[in-house]
Amino acid sequence: MSTEPQLISMALPKDRQDEMKRAGSGSEEFLERRARHLLSDTEGMFPVGRLEPDEIEVLDTEMTRHGALDWYRNPTGGGAR
């Protein structure tokens, strides 16, 4: 809660679970995934099943911009960088 940017250290979680599949019409279906998430799997992909459709649209748009590196959605807020 500062008016000035603060330098903080970050650590990757040792354990993280995200929904990879969802029960669909009689079977489990893999959720959509996107590349370049900070916590991507070994294939470089991350499920976006928890995102709202408008968030996915913004993510897809922002990640095509020159200079976009990776993305991370804050669990309590959200965003791409």
Side-chain angles (χ1 to χ4, degrees), residues 4-69:
E4 299 294 321
Q6 303 292 309
L7 181 61
I8 62 169
S9 61
M10 292 181 61
L12 292 175
K14 291 181 181 181
D15 237 354
R16 180 178 170 113
Q17 276 190 308
D18 279 283
E19 188 178 21
M20 299 294 289
K21 295 179 186 178
R22 184 171 292 156
S25 53
S27 65
E28 284 190 330
E29 299 173 358
F30 280 98
L31 297 175
E32 278 188 80
R33 301 184 309 159
R34 295 294 187 276
R36 297 167 42 197
H37 188 276
L38 290 178
L39 303 176
S40 296
D41 62 17
T42 57
E43 296 175 353
M45 303 298 284
F46 190 83
V48 292
R50 290 185 181 177
L51 300 182
E52 297 294 329
D54 57 334
E55 291 178 292
I56 294 173
E57 182 179 346
V58 168
L59 170 63
D60 290 344
T61 299
E62 292 299 319
M63 293 310 294
T64 63
R65 295 183 190 272
H66 177 73
L69 302 174

